[in-house]
Structure formats: structure tokens, C-alpha cells
Amino acid sequence: MRECLRKLGFETVDLGFGEQISEWLQWYKGKVAKFHSYSQYNGKKKVRRERATLGMAKKVCEDWANLLLNEKVEFSTENEALTLRAKEILEENNFRVCGNQLLELSFALGTGAFVEFIDNGTIGIDYIRADMIYPLSWDNGEINECAFGSLKVIDGKTSLYLQIHVLEDGAYVIHNRLFDAKNHQPLPLPKQVEADFYTGSEAPLFQIVTPNIVNSVNLDNPMGISVFANAVDVLKGVDLVYDSYQNEFRLGKKRIVVPVGMAQLNSSDTGFAPVFDDNDTEFYAFTDKNITDLKEINMEIRAAEHTEGLKQNLNLLSDLCGLGSERYTYDRGGVKTATEVISEESALYQNLKKHEIILNRAICDLVRAVLFLDGKDTRGLTVKVDFDDSIIHDTSTEFEQNLKLVSAGLMQPFEFRMWWFNESEEQARERAARPLCEAQPPKQSADSSAASLGSGTAGLSSGTAGLHADKGELKTGKAGLKTGGKNKTNR
């Protein structure tokens, strides 16, 4: 990808950072070859061993994604029609599922991106992970121009696809380019795809999301770092203790030493049969003549020491990843997560609010972008995002308290509606003034919100705004090639 970009006159971040992303990806998947695979000398020869893993890197990223972008997150604009239209577009693009999964990958690999496009008149959103993102220009860490690249198989031939978003004369232009994967020579684009798409937008049709922490790997790099980048040594500690814990039970199982004479064959009516089954590893035949009877060996299992070791490492891990200490506990053979309401003074609350700053801007810009592609005037449009505070506040208790304030005349009914139903002041005043039978709001509970960002069950798209395989047909749009979960397409 970098060589293709250089041929087009673009430079991006150094190759070494891509190698760092690859290592984070291995930790996210749970197995790092240079750590989890190792050799051990058994007294005769070296044997290959595989270290057990708890998969805590992925668990940490899952928790951050669920805390930041869950079903209770809402957005709104001052124009109700535009709000409904934006939610419709996001629902069509399975934003609730794909957005959460992208955020999980962004916290694992350091960076992710939403990319908007038009595919045959339909507005689409691609969800791009870090290893497909190539920043081209940035200022104070904010990426202004960016390329998104991926491998495509078209008519049985592997190609490199690049979609490049650059500013030209104050507006963004999207350049679509295709290269041969072997010799990096330019290839023709599909007929339906324009090589250069002039958006007419002063704002980019992509949004970058990262954990809101400093890139300590390279201070001048605009891409983010994994939320567990500075906790890799602790991840190793967790898996070392967990692997030792498993070995403790494997090596500590009961053994019975049997004189070799007792383990030999006995005669029977049907022939000779072994006294003990060869597959019973609890029995060990010993040739020492001094052993004439069965001897039971019970090894001591250090369960308490291992449990304490896991506890300390899990506390360190959750603290270094910004989740606060004592978020995870090891109980009954598995890792449990604390679910109690957190304090506003806690480290988790402060880090949660810090990460929301970047996500808030990304969602607001995403909403404006899809409405712009839908032909709506988004100049000066204000978008408000309400994140889930239920882990910070006891929502049921707060509901009862505010209801009592209304009954006591210390809170106006329209103020209650603004708080609970997320209505504008104008909407809340108008609905509060209606007779009760006419003013029924959308169904709402202390555990769910009336508005949603979207829903669906499909998995995370792993491509860029590129080629989309659907029942063997090639789907393309003016803005570029659309990439779905499949990457092999036949004309």
C-alpha cells in the first residue's frame, strides 16, 4: 500500500508502526507466537509447549466498547425530521452492531474509522480498522486527509484498492485507484466507479476514532495506540499465572504407584487380560523390587496462591487500561466483571468521560455526513449525543427523586420530560401542557431509552469503501468501491 501511495505522490506513517499494530492484534486474538509458544527442557530433550491464555486483552476492549457505545446511547438535532432521517440511515447500516464492534477494534488496535459513501444512490457506512488506515496529512494530531486500503480479488486476480480523501480548493475529493498486488502497476477501475469523485463538502466523509490517550510509541504519529499498549507486560503476567494454575491441576492429579508385577496380565477364561487399563494415567507401574504394594501419591495444589496472583495481576491490568482497580475478579474458574454503580470520583468515570470526547465528535460528524450525502443542508446543524450514564447514576433512584421534586413543585413537568425523555424544551413544554391521555410518551423504562442509534445482527464489515459481493453481482457507487465481509467478486 505504501509503495502505491508513493507512486501517487503521498507519504504516510512509518512502516514500524504497522508492525506494532500487528502485535496488538495478536494480543487481541489471545495468542502471541513469541510468548505463548515456547520450548521447555524435560531432562531429556526440549519439547514445544503452548501457554494457556485468559484472553484479557479482548475482554478489556469489549468492556470499553460496551461502556461507550451501547443500546442506551442517543443522538438528536434541533430538527426532528433530520434526526429521524439520520437514525433511519444508521439503522440501514447496522450502526448499533458494527459501530460497537469497530470501537472494540479501535481500542484494541489504536485507531478506527467511519467512512461514508453512496452506492447506487444508497448511503452507506464502512467500518475500517487500523491496519487499513493510512494518514496523509494531519495537524495537532487531527487527521485531515487519509487513504483507506484493502486487498480485493476481482475476476480471480488479487488487487490493491486505495480510496484517497484529500482537500482540493477547500472541498474534499475522493480518488479511487486500483493496483496489481504483485507488481503494483495501475489497473482499470470498474466502469461504474469514478476515478475522482468531487464531494463538494468542506468536511471529510470519514471520522477517526481512537482511545483518548497519548501515543507513547511515537509522539509525532497521528494514529492512536491500543488501550492495553502500556499493559503488555501485565498481560504476560496474567497468562503466566493462569497457565501455571492450569499446570498445577494437571501435574497435581492423584498418582498410584503399582509394582510392575501387579500391572502384568492375568489369565481368564477368555485368555489373558491386563490388570489395569493402559489408558488409566493415574496408575504408574514401578520396577523397584522394594515396592510390593500399592502406593498413593497426592500432590499439594497451591490454589490460594494462584488465585491471589491472578487477582493482583487483574487489578494491575484494569488500572493500567483505565478501568480502575478491582474491576475484574477470578471466581469459580472464570473472570467476573464488577457491575455496581461507579462513583464520579473514580478513575473509570474520569476515563470514560475522557474517551467520550473523541467519540462524541465522531458521531456528530458522522450524522452530518450522512445527512449531507442525503442532500440535506447541514450548515450550522447542531448534533447532541447523550451517552449512557446508568453505570454512574442509579437511574431508578434518580427517577424517583425527580418525580418527588415535581410533586413538591421544585421541578417543572416540562423539565422532567426534558431530562427523562431527552426532549427539547419546546417539545417538552408542548407535551406537558396536553391532557394526560393525549401526552403519552414513547415507552421508556429506567433501563432503556426511547431513541436508538440503530440495530441489527450482522457482523463487522472488514473492508474499506470498496468492492461489495452480493449474490455474485458487482455493486459499486460513484464515491468508490464498497467492501463487505466477502472480498471475492465475479463480474
Side-chain angles (χ1 to χ4, degrees):
M1 293 295 181
R2 286 174 170 79
E3 184 178 335
C4 296
L5 284 170
R6 288 192 187 99
K7 286 187 175 183
L8 297 172
F10 298 105
E11 290 292 337
T12 184
V13 296
D14 64 274
L15 180 62
F17 196 74
E19 295 172 353
Q20 187 70 67
I21 292 174
S22 298
E23 183 178 342
W24 293 332
L25 181 59
Q26 290 182 64
W27 277 108
Y28 173 73
K29 289 181 176 180
K31 292 286 186 180
V32 181
K34 64 182 182 182
F35 175 74
H36 289 94
S37 296
Y38 64 99
S39 297
Q40 187 177 42
Y41 187 67
N42 65 1
K44 292 183 178 181
K45 62 178 182 178
K46 284 189 174 183
V47 293
R48 295 297 297 171
R49 296 291 302 273
E50 190 73 15
R51 185 168 282 121
T53 177
L54 264 178
M56 287 305 300
K58 177 170 171 53
K59 174 63 175 174
V60 166
C61 298
E62 283 181 9
D63 281 2
W64 270 121
N66 293 337
L67 287 169
L68 287 163
L69 191 57
N70 54 48
E71 75 284 355
K72 297 178 183 178
V73 177
E74 307 172 11
F75 75 85
S76 60
T77 72
E78 65 265 33
N79 186 310
E80 191 169 358
L82 291 181
T83 301
L84 292 174
R85 177 55 183 151
K87 289 182 178 181
E88 181 182 355
I89 295 172
L90 266 59
E91 183 175 352
E92 291 169 355
N93 283 276
N94 200 22
F95 183 80
R96 175 66 64 197
V97 173
C98 295
N100 177 275
Q101 293 181 353
L102 175 68
L103 200 61
E104 180 180 325
L105 285 171
S106 300
F107 271 67
L109 308 182
T111 311
F114 302 111
V115 180
E116 298 79 42
F117 62 93
I118 297 180
D119 181 7
N120 293 328
T122 301
I123 300 167
I125 303 171
D126 256 337
Y127 306 87
I128 316 300
R129 63 179 187 263
D131 55 340
M132 305 167 75
I133 299 173
Y134 301 87
L136 303 177
S137 69
W138 55 89
D139 184 28
N140 287 329
E142 181 178 347
I143 299 174
N144 301 314
E145 298 176 312
C146 194
F148 305 98
S150 62
L151 284 173
K152 302 286 159 240
V153 178
I154 305 174
D155 295 333
K157 188 174 183 178
T158 303
S159 306
L160 302 176
Y161 171 63
L162 280 171
Q163 187 182 86
I164 306 165
H165 295 239
V166 292
L167 265 171
E168 296 181 8
D169 299 325
Y172 276 89
V173 180
I174 300 174
H175 300 295
N176 298 294
R177 300 291 186 267
L178 207 61
F179 295 87
D180 187 282
K182 293 181 179 179
N183 56 29
H184 298 162
Q185 293 302 308
L187 296 175
L189 290 163
K191 294 180 180 179
Q192 301 93 326
V193 179
E194 294 183 10
D196 306 296
F197 178 66
Y198 296 86
T199 68
S201 172
E202 297 178 358
L205 297 182
F206 66 87
Q207 298 79 38
I208 302 294
V209 289
T210 69
N212 194 1
I213 52 180
V214 173
N215 185 337
S216 56
V217 176
N218 186 336
L219 296 177
D220 298 319
N221 193 321
M223 297 185 74
I225 62 171
S226 172
V227 74
F228 55 76
N230 296 309
V232 170
D233 286 344
V234 181
L235 284 170
K236 292 179 181 179
V238 169
D239 284 354
L240 277 171
V241 176
Y242 181 61
D243 181 67
S244 176
Y245 202 4
Q246 287 199 349
N247 286 333
E248 192 80 3
F249 283 91
R250 181 176 63 85
L251 300 174
K253 65 185 296 184
K254 178 182 289 189
R255 297 292 199 282
I256 300 176
V257 176
V258 182
V260 69
M262 290 187 177
Q264 294 175 346
L265 301 177
N266 280 346
S267 62
S268 66
D269 295 338
T270 57
F272 288 94
V275 176
F276 299 110
D277 187 344
D278 289 340
N279 294 317
D280 286 341
T281 58
E282 293 83 2
F283 297 98
Y284 185 85
F286 208 81
T287 58
D288 191 339
K289 295 180 179 179
N290 295 321
I291 298 179
T292 59
D293 203 356
L294 298 178
K295 184 178 181 181
E296 186 178 299
I297 299 176
N298 290 310
M299 303 292 290
E300 181 182 355
I301 295 177
R302 300 165 298 166
E305 290 85 348
H306 281 86
T307 300
E308 181 63 23
L310 271 176
K311 176 184 176 182
Q312 296 301 326
N313 277 282
L314 288 173
N315 284 344
L316 278 172
L317 178 65
S318 63
D319 195 30
L320 286 173
C321 293
L323 292 165
S325 60
E326 299 184 355
R327 178 168 179 82
Y328 301 116
T329 57
Y330 187 80
D331 182 39
R332 297 181 181 178
V335 175
K336 311 297 182 184
T337 304
T339 57
E340 66 270 10
V341 175
I342 66 173
S343 164
E344 293 187 7
E345 287 77 31
S346 69
L348 174 55
Y349 172 81
Q350 294 171 11
N351 289 318
L352 181 64
K353 290 302 173 183
K354 185 173 72 170
H355 291 313
E356 284 177 0
I357 294 172
I358 290 179
L359 183 58
N360 179 82
R361 180 175 177 181
I363 294 176
C364 291
D365 290 345
L366 169 66
V367 170
R368 295 189 191 97
V370 296
L371 289 174
F372 172 81
L373 290 175
D374 197 45
K376 305 297 189 294
D377 184 4
T378 59
R379 290 173 296 182
L381 180 67
T382 299
V383 182
K384 180 185 177 184
V385 181
D386 291 313
F387 291 98
D388 175 26
D389 284 339
S390 61
I391 65 164
I392 303 162
H393 304 291
D394 187 337
T395 311
S396 298
T397 301
E398 197 169 2
F399 178 89
E400 296 296 334
Q401 289 174 343
N402 285 347
L403 205 58
K404 290 178 180 178
L405 290 176
V406 173
S407 299
L410 299 175
M411 174 185 277
Q412 295 297 319
F414 78 87
E415 292 175 318
F416 181 88
R417 295 189 66 93
M418 288 175 64
W419 166 74
W420 184 246
F421 297 113
N422 195 34
E423 297 173 343
S424 67
E425 181 175 348
E426 181 181 357
Q427 291 173 330
R429 285 182 179 274
E430 188 269 329
R431 290 172 180 170
R434 296 180 190 174
L436 185 61
C437 61
E438 298 178 9
Q440 293 300 319
K443 288 185 179 180
Q444 180 94 352
S445 71
D447 297 319
S448 63
S449 53
S452 66
L453 289 172
S455 61
T457 57
L460 177 64
S461 169
S462 60
T464 65
L467 197 62
H468 172 58
D470 184 17
K471 298 182 179 179
E473 299 177 354
L474 184 65
K475 282 194 173 184
T476 58
K478 291 183 179 180
L481 298 162
K482 164 74 178 79
T483 305
K486 302 178 182 177
N487 66 358
K488 185 172 181 180
T489 309
N490 299 317
R491 291 180 183 274

